[in-house]
Amino acid sequence: AQSVAQPEDQVNVAEGNPLTVKCTYSVSGNPYLFWYVQYPNRGLQFLLKYITGDNLVKGSYGFEAEFNKSQTSFHLKKPSALVSDSALYFCAVGTSYNTDKLIFGTGTRLQVFP
Amino acid sequence: SAVISQKPSRDICQRGTSLTIQCQVDSQVTMMFWYRQQPGQSLTLIATANQGSEATYESGFVIDKFPISRPNLTFSTLTVSNMSPEDSSIYLCSETTGRTEAFFGQGTRLTVV
């Protein structure tokens, strides 16, 4: 069965410092991996995706993520955090066998302090 | 990118009543999805809405409680029936073609009192 784990409920980082939000996955086929961000009282906004190709994926707002097949991870990163990055981040996975369904992680709240 | 308009954005409802949530997409899409996000939790897929056929429900969700309509390729509704306080959640619709990113509506924040 597909599953996604986000081991950290919250990540705190100072503005200007690099940030990492962790995600690991378990699927039976080739994974399709996504990161979404949710700001307060807003829907989910797409950040980036990995379908195939380069393991380092660049997305919106300066975020990037690295697909690591051996570690089954897809961690979200940003070189320099902004206070405005503070939000709830979700990792999600689909598989080549059921590409239309997404399984979401439990979410990680990112807090960037000035 | 698709734009999904979802309404109402929020509502406060009496227990025992029903609420219908609407989602309108600005382009034709094959499949639409309905999710529930309970307070402080992640998104859980309720069902997949296909145009011209019955919705496909995930484990733990039934049609009598969450009837779904999909009359055409740009519109879907989700009804939360016979509501109880445990139904208080954010409900989101989305569309995706799987290998591309999913687009979400703004969500409906439902409070049942």
Side-chain angles (χ1 to χ4, degrees):
Chain A
Q2 298 167 241
S3 66
V4 178
Q6 292 182 246
E8 303 155 317
D9 291 336
Q10 180 155 330
V11 169
N12 300 317
V13 64
E15 187 174 33
N17 284 0
L19 69 87
T20 298
V21 182
K22 295 179 180 178
C23 172
T24 59
Y25 65 90
S26 175
V27 299
S28 57
N30 293 322
Y32 300 110
L33 296 156
F34 305 85
W35 275 101
Y36 288 86
V37 60
Q38 186 177 38
Y39 296 100
N41 301 313
R42 302 282 295 276
L44 269 70
Q45 296 180 30
F46 169 77
L47 278 179
L48 50 79
K49 66 183 177 186
Y50 172 83
I51 304 297
T52 187
D54 291 340
N55 290 341
L56 184 63
V57 178
K58 295 188 182 297
S60 306
Y61 312 120
F63 284 93
E64 59 188 28
E66 186 169 10
F67 171 65
N68 188 317
K69 188 173 183 178
S70 62
Q71 297 185 6
T72 61
S73 67
F74 190 57
H75 301 330
L76 181 70
K77 300 181 180 183
K78 187 173 183 180
S80 178
L82 300 172
V83 173
S84 58
D85 292 330
S86 299
L88 187 58
Y89 290 80
F90 289 99
C91 182
V93 65
T95 72
S96 57
Y97 298 107
N98 198 342
T99 56
D100 293 314
K101 288 185 183 180
L102 292 179
I103 304 299
F104 284 84
T106 51
T108 298
R109 186 165 299 282
L110 174 65
Q111 189 70 50
V112 181
F113 295 95
Chain B
S1 62
V3 175
I4 302 180
S5 301
Q6 184 175 343
K7 59 181 182 182
S9 58
R10 59 177 63 228
D11 207 342
I12 301 173
C13 300
Q14 296 291 324
R15 67 179 67 197
T17 63
S18 298
L19 175 72
T20 296
I21 303 167
Q22 300 180 4
C23 264
Q24 179 76 51
V25 188
D26 67 347
S27 59
Q28 294 186 340
V29 297
T30 304
M31 301 176 78
M32 294 181 69
F33 303 84
W34 288 96
Y35 290 86
R36 181 175 71 182
Q37 185 180 16
Q38 293 180 301
Q41 297 189 28
S42 186
L43 282 75
T44 301
L45 182 63
I46 297 172
T48 303
N50 302 314
Q51 195 270 335
S53 64
E54 292 283 331
T56 303
Y57 289 83
E58 298 298 305
S59 176
F61 298 97
V62 295
I63 188 172
D64 290 346
K65 177 67 176 177
F66 297 101
I68 288 171
S69 78
R70 184 81 198 277
N72 57 53
L73 292 175
T74 64
F75 188 78
S76 180
T77 68
L78 169 76
T79 298
V80 186
S81 304
N82 188 24
M83 289 183 285
S84 66
E86 291 71 33
D87 295 320
S88 297
S89 293
I90 299 173
Y91 293 85
L92 298 109
C93 64
S94 80
E95 66 86 14
T96 179
T97 55
R99 298 189 182 192
T100 61
E101 59 270 28
F103 295 98
F104 285 82
Q106 293 298 302
T108 297
R109 183 178 294 273
L110 171 63
T111 303
V112 183
V113 297

